[in-house]
Amino acid sequence: MKILLVEDEPALLIAMRQFLEEDGYVVTTAASFAKATQALNDYDYDCLVVDIGLPDGNGLNLIRQVKGDEKLADGIMVSASQPGLIIISAKDSLDDKLLGLELGSDDYITKPFHLPELNARIKSVLRRRFFGGNNLIRHGDITVDPLSHRVMVREQDLDLTEKEYHLLLFFLANTNRLLTKAAIAEYVWGDHMDLADSHDFLYTHIKNLRRKLVDGGCPDYLRTRYGAGYIFTTTL
Amino acid sequence: MSLLRKTLLYLVLVAVPVAIGGGWLFHALINRVARYEIDEQLTSDLAFVKEQLATADRPIPEGQHLLDNPHVEKVSLGYHLDPVFSDTLEYDRREKQLVPVRRLTSTIQAGGHAYLVVVKQAMGEFIEITQLLSVGIIVGFLGLLGVLLGLNSWVSRRLWQPFYQLIDQLRGYRLDVRTPATFPDSTITEFSQLGRTLNDMSRNLHQQYIVQKEFTDHAAHEMQTPLAIITAQLDQLLATEPLTQEQVGCMEQAQGSIGRLVHLNKSLLLLSKIENNQFLDQKPVDLSTLTEKLHHDFSSYAEHRQLGWVGRIAPDVFRPMSPHLAEVLFSNLIKNALIHALPKTYAEVTLTEKVFKTVNAGLSLPFPPAQLFDRFVKNPARPESTGLGLALVRQIAELHGMTVQYQYDELACLHTFTVHFHT
């Protein structure tokens, strides 16, 4: 899967690139509007991750450009060539979000974000784009059907709460990586993260999820590390 | 009272005394002139009589004797009387009433005789004419005044039309529209000037508004990007091996602080955006659905804190609000109730057509209730709080014309926050 990252902040660009490459993506980076346009002309990508606040142009225009090309090519090309689009914005502004989604972006993420969250969103967008959301996520004994929100362990349905389901998806999108408590909490609770005892709260949910998975008969994939966070492993 | 009415009122207030005083003066003047003319006439009549007495044997025509005007009678030669005017009343046979009469009495020496001559002139007609004239003048003046007032009001209305138009436009003035408002030009210099000045002002305000808006946006950008880098790099650092427990502890604390900073930054930006009136996109928001959703979203947290979490939510409550701010307002109040509820007690949220209310059991406030909605006022026991949550609540409520009320029931230890919608 080829991804184009457009972000003007080099440190963030490098961190994102490194993270995504570890996940097996082929990553191209562009630090400006001009370079991004160039990169778009040179290759096709499966997913675009665009910071809309670029020094030499609005990232939204880049999206317009991509969508414009698509419209021109609509008659000839199959829709599978449409890349997934994720907007990164430093502005937590509804207008930008709505405009971005209106222009055809698939998701919107506000700075600052944890890289595993970006990763999970890219995976979700790619899944929707290329499999109509229809492909099952498999991990060892666990199978998740993202369309119907069904989770199965060894062909047996597992009854998870909404939060537990999201937790599981987040883990599955970022296997074999350390997921810090802050990153998990941010992904699952978003804006409501300023709750007082969020870490205890998180612990309760993870404990419940873990218990349900183990009770359902699958091995305990979850590892804790130094108390810093959790790793969902593929190796037992 | 409008400028137009005020003007007309003053005009009337001045014009009525002028009409009355002027009428009286005019009447006096006419009266004087008439009298003077009558006297002149009488004098000339007397001269005529004198001339006749001097030249003719039969000095007085027959017909005039009948009317006894002039009245001529012989007197002894030595008798002399200077001409004297006097006013009397005489009985008018025809009109059958007393009428005012002007008399000139004098003695005349002619042909070796002395006569006492009295010439008279009835004044009734003159007085009538004088009165008619005066009344006519007053009525004419008042009529003219009426016409003038009408004309003035019509002209003023026409003249002030552009002014009212400007006021109408100003009333509907909004800063957040994409293009600055333009005010119409006028053929009247003053209004044209006003329009131009307003246009300049509008352009300046718009410019400043955009600058301010961009500033907040940029401030967000500039803050968020470094925070994003720190977040990503701390995550990476935490993933490296090996780490000591101590190092992990430090990094976690750093992460926690960044989390607070992020939240603080977001809240401050939101506050400044509200103050800059950048949330004017109000539309009817389904508060019932929103409250249901929030109640549901927070139920796992309530469960985690072992709270009885009650929701009394009336269906189909719609209020015109900014959707984003509505969510911030209500989620902040719910969060507030759930965080501060004592463990294993209870909290509830109520929504009716008129109010949104949260209740939680908890200890009394560690600071005066008056400071509750101030910025950066927080419970010392919860240093991780931004202290902006309730400040945002008040700001958002005020923006939408709602009021927030706080009550503490000492006996039951219940905190109640009520948002009144004022429908």
Side-chain angles (χ1 to χ4, degrees):
Chain A
M1 288 279 170
K2 273 189 291 194
I3 294 181
L4 175 63
L5 289 179
V6 186
E7 162 65 55
D8 60 309
E9 190 64 43
L12 191 59
L13 193 60
I14 291 166
M16 285 198 290
R17 176 189 191 145
Q18 212 175 336
F19 190 95
L20 293 173
E21 277 176 347
E22 282 170 18
D23 238 47
Y25 294 108
V26 178
V27 182
T28 309
T29 58
S32 67
F33 189 87
K35 282 186 185 145
T37 315
Q38 177 76 39
L40 275 172
N41 286 332
D42 290 351
Y43 292 103
D44 285 333
Y45 300 92
D46 299 307
C47 187
L48 261 63
V49 179
V50 180
D51 182 350
I52 55 175
L54 295 170
D56 58 341
N58 190 328
L60 287 174
N61 288 334
L62 211 58
I63 292 167
R64 283 196 187 97
Q65 205 173 309
V66 172
K67 290 287 157 185
D69 288 352
E70 223 168 70
K71 266 176 204 146
L72 286 177
D74 225 14
I76 318 153
M77 308 266 273
V78 279
S79 61
S81 68
Q82 295 180 359
L85 275 171
I86 296 178
I87 292 175
I88 301 177
S89 172
K91 307 169 193 171
D92 187 14
S93 109
L94 200 67
D95 289 349
D96 279 349
K97 189 171 182 167
L98 291 179
L99 189 58
L101 296 178
E102 220 168 82
L103 286 176
S105 80
D106 298 281
D107 208 344
Y108 182 98
I109 186 167
T110 313
K111 282 183 187 175
F113 51 85
H114 292 273
L115 295 176
E117 173 158 6
L118 177 67
N119 191 21
R121 288 184 189 232
I122 290 176
K123 284 215 163 89
S124 156
V125 164
L126 288 176
R127 213 167 38 234
R128 284 208 301 268
R129 280 271 157 187
F130 294 96
F131 306 99
N134 213 358
N135 75 324
L136 302 177
I137 307 165
R138 290 179 199 278
H139 180 85
D141 291 337
I142 306 170
T143 311
V144 178
D145 180 356
L147 263 192
S148 61
H149 284 211
R150 266 174 73 199
V151 179
M152 284 170 289
V153 174
R154 294 186 176 165
E155 312 303 321
Q156 292 286 312
D157 270 351
L158 201 65
D159 187 26
L160 296 183
T161 66
E162 204 182 310
K163 296 284 178 217
E164 287 160 1
Y165 172 77
H166 281 116
L167 264 176
L168 181 62
L169 269 194
F170 191 51
F171 283 135
L172 290 177
N174 294 286
T175 51
N176 295 323
R177 280 181 188 284
L178 175 78
L179 295 176
T180 60
K181 287 186 267 187
I184 301 171
E186 176 80 38
Y187 180 75
V188 183
W189 284 278
D191 275 348
H192 304 319
M193 261 327 293
D194 55 330
L195 292 171
D197 39 8
S198 53
H199 284 191
D200 288 347
F201 184 28
L202 184 69
Y203 176 71
T204 316
H205 277 84
I206 291 177
K207 198 179 66 185
N208 289 343
L209 173 65
R210 194 178 204 168
R211 192 181 33 103
K212 282 184 184 174
L213 287 173
V214 172
D215 287 356
C218 81
D220 188 4
Y221 296 110
L222 263 180
R223 303 269 178 278
T224 52
R225 199 151 139 246
Y226 307 121
Y230 299 85
I231 304 176
F232 206 79
T233 56
T234 44
T235 51
L236 290 169
Chain B
M1 196 181 272
S2 74
L3 187 66
L4 181 60
R5 284 190 175 191
K6 202 98 183 165
T7 318
L8 295 184
L9 179 76
Y10 283 137
L11 213 61
V12 169
L13 281 181
V14 173
V16 167
V18 166
I20 294 168
W24 178 78
L25 266 176
F26 182 77
H27 178 259
L29 187 73
I30 295 281
N31 214 12
R32 242 187 128 86
V33 171
R35 201 168 279 250
Y36 177 78
E37 292 300 329
I38 289 171
D39 290 357
E40 215 168 38
Q41 179 66 44
L42 288 177
T43 313
S44 114
D45 282 355
L46 188 68
F48 179 67
V49 171
K50 189 177 183 178
E51 199 178 313
Q52 285 204 326
L53 284 175
T55 53
D57 299 336
R58 261 175 50 202
I60 312 299
E62 206 60 46
Q64 288 198 1
H65 276 291
L66 289 174
L67 285 172
D68 194 22
N69 185 26
H71 168 87
V72 183
E73 99 187 54
K74 272 192 183 159
V75 289
S76 55
L77 254 176
Y79 187 71
H80 176 79
L81 187 68
D82 278 336
V84 59
F85 291 100
S86 61
D87 290 318
T88 56
L89 289 174
E90 276 184 18
Y91 187 76
D92 187 315
R93 264 177 250 274
R94 200 159 42 82
E95 291 189 13
K96 297 196 170 78
Q97 60 177 11
L98 290 170
V99 291
V101 168
R102 185 81 169 158
R103 283 204 311 202
L104 175 59
T105 314
S106 181
T107 48
I108 294 173
Q109 316 284 333
H113 301 288
Y115 302 94
L116 174 71
V117 179
V118 180
V119 281
K120 293 184 282 195
Q121 177 65 54
M123 296 235 298
E125 278 66 33
F126 289 97
I127 289 175
E128 265 169 38
I129 286 172
T130 316
Q131 279 170 350
L132 263 175
L133 268 177
S134 304
V135 170
I137 285 288
I138 291 179
V139 168
F141 183 80
L142 288 179
L144 203 69
L145 181 72
V147 170
L148 217 101
L149 288 183
L151 209 70
N152 189 19
S153 112
W154 179 74
V155 168
S156 292
R157 237 186 283 275
R158 272 188 71 98
L159 283 179
W160 287 91
Q161 184 56 36
F163 182 73
Y164 291 119
Q165 209 176 330
L166 285 177
I167 286 186
D168 268 351
Q169 257 193 302
L170 277 176
R171 197 177 288 134
Y173 187 75
R174 281 164 67 111
L175 254 185
D176 61 325
V177 288
R178 274 166 204 270
T179 48
T182 43
F183 296 90
D185 203 7
S186 166
T187 44
I188 301 165
T189 319
E190 284 79 1
F191 293 139
S192 165
Q193 260 176 6
L194 184 62
R196 271 206 306 275
T197 312
L198 283 175
N199 274 332
D200 289 347
M201 195 189 75
S202 159
R203 253 199 311 280
N204 282 338
L205 279 177
H206 198 75
Q207 197 62 39
Q208 279 178 11
Y209 174 75
I210 288 178
V211 166
Q212 184 119 38
K213 204 170 150 173
E214 277 175 354
F215 175 78
T216 28
D217 285 353
H218 288 157
H221 187 92
E222 296 307 321
M223 290 272 279
Q224 305 292 64
T225 306
L227 285 172
I229 296 167
I230 300 172
T231 306
Q233 290 185 339
L234 261 181
D235 277 357
Q236 267 187 320
L237 201 56
L238 269 166
T240 54
E241 286 189 272
L243 290 175
T244 67
Q245 194 63 46
E246 219 170 74
Q247 287 169 327
V248 171
C250 285
M251 286 182 225
E252 281 210 304
Q253 271 186 9
Q255 254 182 342
S257 300
I258 293 164
R260 262 169 71 189
L261 197 57
V262 169
H263 195 70
L264 190 68
N265 192 31
K266 277 189 181 170
S267 301
L268 279 174
L269 282 175
L270 194 56
L271 269 174
S272 77
K273 273 185 171 179
I274 295 171
E275 278 168 4
N276 290 343
N277 277 337
Q278 288 175 18
F279 287 101
L280 295 168
D281 54 335
Q282 298 191 3
K283 53 185 169 199
V285 177
D286 183 352
L287 299 187
S288 304
T289 309
L290 176 63
T291 313
E292 286 283 4
K293 178 181 164 288
L294 289 171
H295 183 261
H296 173 78
D297 286 353
F298 282 97
S299 56
S300 58
Y301 182 70
E303 196 185 319
H304 165 72
R305 297 207 62 215
Q306 295 172 281
L307 297 169
W309 180 218
V310 184
R312 289 194 191 88
I313 299 155
D316 299 323
V317 179
F318 286 85
R319 298 292 310 152
M321 290 184 81
S322 150
H324 178 52
L325 292 184
E327 183 161 351
V328 175
L329 172 64
F330 298 130
S331 71
N332 274 4
L333 282 173
I334 288 176
K335 232 186 288 181
N336 182 68
L338 290 176
I339 288 171
H340 294 103
L342 291 171
K344 297 178 189 172
T345 59
Y346 104 119
E348 68 169 61
V349 55
T350 311
L351 177 77
T352 68
E353 282 288 339
K354 292 196 170 100
V355 293
F356 173 92
K357 191 167 77 173
T358 60
V359 177
N360 70 280
L363 302 172
S364 64
L365 292 178
F367 46 78
Q371 295 176 8
L372 190 61
F373 295 101
D374 291 350
R375 291 177 188 192
F376 302 114
V377 172
K378 50 188 176 186
N379 191 332
R382 281 200 65 227
E384 73 277 12
S385 149
T386 56
L388 289 173
L390 289 178
L392 268 169
V393 163
R394 184 174 60 184
Q395 203 90 24
I396 294 171
E398 277 174 5
L399 181 75
H400 294 94
M402 304 172 178
T403 47
V404 194
Q405 193 189 1
Y406 166 75
Q407 273 172 326
Y408 183 60
D409 183 342
E410 295 271 357
L411 278 177
C413 294
L414 286 180
H415 297 272
T416 308
F417 286 85
T418 317
V419 181
H420 297 274
F421 298 150
H422 301 298
T423 44

